Amino acid sequence: MLDGSAHLPLVLLGVRGGKRETLLQAARASLGQPAAVVVDWAEWLEQPALLTASLARPCMFKIDSPGDDARVHAVLMREGCASLGRSLPRAPDHGEIAVSDDWFAGLTLALQGVAAELSALPHVLSFNAPDELLLMTDKLACQRHLAAHGIPIPRLLGPIGGYAQLRAVMDEHDLKQVFLKTRYGSSASGVVAYRRNGRGAEQATSSASLVPGADGARLYNVKRLRSYDTQADIVQLIDLLARQQIYAEAWIPKPRHGNGHFDLRVLTLGGRPAHRVARVGARMMTNLHLDNQRADVASLLGDKDHAALEQAACAAAAAFPQSHVIGLDMVVRKGRAHVLEANAFGDLLPRLLWQGRDTYAAQLQSFASHEA
């Protein structure tokens, strides 16, 4: 452990000029700290020596999300396909849902390279460990990991190969409604809330839009949720998503607020819950980018719920001991808490304060105190 870590330079592997880097640099300035050294993801993938040079002296180091940078996506896909012995698929259109195991294989190679480099650099203090970032990015593996550590999660129903298997799994477990999630997706991309009733009616709600084309239908992310009510559309939606690997989990009821319901995003810093916000929506997905509303958590939860949140968040963070910053999606209801997801890059929460600091200023202070 290094002394005086608050005064060490910060190296950021991120997207230069992106929202995350902009907010982090503003936080550095607000704390009177020099700007972080930015190693751009796309540039680093083409020139690995850039990161090596930046980490040559004692420093703090944070790996940030590669985001939706098309250049990064292309390189990760190319490297991932090569490692899996596959031919490179066509480049996705803007907004097209195309997060597959090819991409994840490329990300795995990249972060394994970072891990190998860090293992030989004891003078570098890392905000997050590459292997834990990968674990949280693989949503199914992450939920299995949390369950193995005794963290309450929605009941996992396993991988789903298509519509027919989904119906068979629901019959087996006597379920009327489930959530389907893409294994390597984020921000509700490809998530489907599926339900049926005893009369045979069924509905799938998703931010994925089916767009017909000459070579078959494609899926695109849209900002507003849409519902599919005909079996033909639902079959096509689920079968297309299944090609990108999806899994099912039991539907957890969310607590009501006004005319909607809510879940929580809780940011843990150094193993403790810090920033928290309720995400309130009238539909099944409450992600804030889907035009849902923020609400104050303190006003929505009673004492037992607050205690359940604290306990579950601490336990979930402890399952990732080398990750200083984790974003947890949670449902807290009737004195019980369930963790829906652990997000490796869940700190992009503009204007959300905890003890007077935004998520970036707070994590900088917390990390320096933790490592001192």
Side-chain angles (χ1 to χ4, degrees), residues 136 139 142-143 146 151-154 181 185-188 191 249 252 254 262-268 275-279 286-289 309 312-313 316 326-332 337-347 349:
M136 283 185 265
K139 298 299 184 182
C142 180
Q143 291 301 88
L146 289 171
I151 314 303
I153 63 168
K181 297 182 178 181
S186 62
S187 302
V191 175
E249 63 183 28
I252 296 289
K254 295 179 181 179
F262 68 93
D263 62 11
L264 310 176
R265 166 60 62 88
V266 178
L267 194 71
T268 63
H275 302 75
R276 55 203 76 186
V277 61
R279 308 180 301 183
T286 55
N287 302 68
L288 294 175
H289 76 285
L309 181 156
I326 305 170
L328 301 173
D329 292 343
M330 304 177 66
V331 168
V332 182
H338 289 84
V339 177
L340 304 180
E341 289 187 8
N343 300 275
F345 308 114
D347 52 359
L349 298 165

Side-chain angles (χ1 to χ4, degrees), residues 188-310:
S189 176
V191 175
V192 177
Y194 174 81
R195 53 188 176 183
R196 62 182 182 174
N197 63 28
R199 299 185 303 275
E202 55 187 329
Q203 182 184 73
T205 302
S206 179
S207 61
S209 178
L210 273 172
V211 178
D215 56 348
R218 298 180 185 178
L219 294 172
Y220 293 82
N221 271 319
V222 291
K223 194 173 181 181
R224 296 187 184 279
L225 295 175
R226 61 165 300 178
S227 293
Y228 299 88
D229 300 298
T230 67
Q231 187 178 61
D233 285 343
I234 293 172
V235 170
Q236 190 172 41
L237 171 70
I238 293 174
D239 285 351
L240 282 172
L241 285 170
R243 297 178 188 176
Q244 301 191 43
Q245 298 192 34
I246 57 175
Y247 66 96
E249 63 183 28
W251 190 306
I252 296 289
K254 295 179 181 179
R256 301 289 303 180
H257 176 61
N259 294 324
H261 47 254
F262 68 93
D263 62 11
L264 310 176
R265 166 60 62 88
V266 178
L267 194 71
T268 63
L269 302 178
R272 302 291 303 179
H275 302 75
R276 55 203 76 186
V277 61
R279 308 180 301 183
V280 184
R283 306 291 295 275
M284 294 78 169
M285 286 74 148
T286 55
N287 302 68
L288 294 175
H289 76 285
L290 296 175
D291 289 335
N292 293 307
Q293 303 300 313
R294 291 186 179 192
D296 178 49
V297 173
S299 65
L300 296 178
L301 302 185
D303 291 343
K304 290 184 178 179
D305 288 338
H306 279 294
L309 181 156
E310 294 279 335

Side-chain angles (χ1 to χ4, degrees), residues 32-355:
Q33 299 172 355
V37 175
V38 180
V39 178
D40 183 76
W41 261 96
E43 295 171 6
W44 167 65
L45 288 171
E46 297 293 349
Q47 303 177 67
L50 291 175
L51 184 60
T52 303
S54 298
L55 299 178
R57 57 175 180 159
C59 63
M60 297 182 292
F61 175 53
K62 184 181 181 186
I63 304 169
D64 217 336
S65 170
D68 56 1
D69 188 313
R71 301 170 301 163
V72 178
H73 184 86
V75 175
L76 295 179
M77 286 293 291
R78 184 184 70 216
E79 296 299 320
C81 286
S83 72
L84 296 172
R86 300 175 182 172
S87 58
L88 189 65
R90 64 169 179 80
D93 296 337
H94 179 70
E96 184 176 2
I97 299 174
V99 181
S100 63
D101 59 342
D102 302 323
W103 171 86
F104 184 72
L107 181 68
T108 298
L109 286 174
L111 291 184
Q112 285 176 342
V114 175
E117 191 154 355
L118 291 175
S119 67
L121 301 175
H123 58 268
V124 175
L125 298 176
S126 296
F127 274 75
N128 38 21
D131 62 328
E132 292 186 355
L133 292 182
L134 287 169
L135 180 55
M136 283 185 265
T137 303
D138 182 339
K139 298 299 184 182
L140 177 56
C142 180
Q143 291 301 88
R144 287 170 170 165
H145 176 76
L146 289 171
H149 283 75
I151 314 303
I153 63 168
R155 179 157 53 115
L156 279 177
L157 305 175
I160 299 296
Y163 175 83
Q165 185 184 2
L166 170 65
R167 294 290 300 236
V169 168
M170 293 179 70
D171 287 343
E172 178 186 351
H173 293 277
D174 193 26
L175 293 173
K176 298 300 182 185
Q177 49 191 21
V178 298
F179 271 95
L180 299 171
K181 297 182 178 181
T182 48
R183 184 164 183 168
Y184 309 110
S186 62
S187 302
S189 176
V191 175
V192 177
Y194 174 81
R195 53 188 176 183
R196 62 182 182 174
N197 63 28
R199 299 185 303 275
E202 55 187 329
Q203 182 184 73
T205 302
S206 179
S207 61
S209 178
L210 273 172
V211 178
D215 56 348
R218 298 180 185 178
L219 294 172
Y220 293 82
N221 271 319
V222 291
K223 194 173 181 181
R224 296 187 184 279
L225 295 175
R226 61 165 300 178
S227 293
Y228 299 88
D229 300 298
T230 67
Q231 187 178 61
D233 285 343
I234 293 172
V235 170
Q236 190 172 41
L237 171 70
I238 293 174
D239 285 351
L240 282 172
L241 285 170
R243 297 178 188 176
Q244 301 191 43
Q245 298 192 34
I246 57 175
Y247 66 96
E249 63 183 28
W251 190 306
I252 296 289
K254 295 179 181 179
R256 301 289 303 180
H257 176 61
N259 294 324
H261 47 254
F262 68 93
D263 62 11
L264 310 176
R265 166 60 62 88
V266 178
L267 194 71
T268 63
L269 302 178
R272 302 291 303 179
H275 302 75
R276 55 203 76 186
V277 61
R279 308 180 301 183
V280 184
R283 306 291 295 275
M284 294 78 169
M285 286 74 148
T286 55
N287 302 68
L288 294 175
H289 76 285
L290 296 175
D291 289 335
N292 293 307
Q293 303 300 313
R294 291 186 179 192
D296 178 49
V297 173
S299 65
L300 296 178
L301 302 185
D303 291 343
K304 290 184 178 179
D305 288 338
H306 279 294
L309 181 156
E310 294 279 335
Q311 182 178 11
C314 288
F320 303 96
Q322 295 180 311
S323 295
H324 189 79
V325 184
I326 305 170
L328 301 173
D329 292 343
M330 304 177 66
V331 168
V332 182
R333 181 173 177 265
K334 296 182 178 180
R336 297 190 63 193
H338 289 84
V339 177
L340 304 180
E341 289 187 8
N343 300 275
F345 308 114
D347 52 359
L348 182 59
L349 298 165
R351 302 176 302 281
L352 182 63
L353 303 182
W354 175 254
Q355 298 180 346

Side-chain angles (χ1 to χ4, degrees), residues 18-28 348-350 358 360-361:
K19 290 181 180 179
R20 295 171 181 274
E21 189 240 337
T22 300
L23 289 169
L24 179 66
Q25 299 289 26
R28 297 278 293 175
L348 182 59
L349 298 165
D358 71 10
Y360 291 94

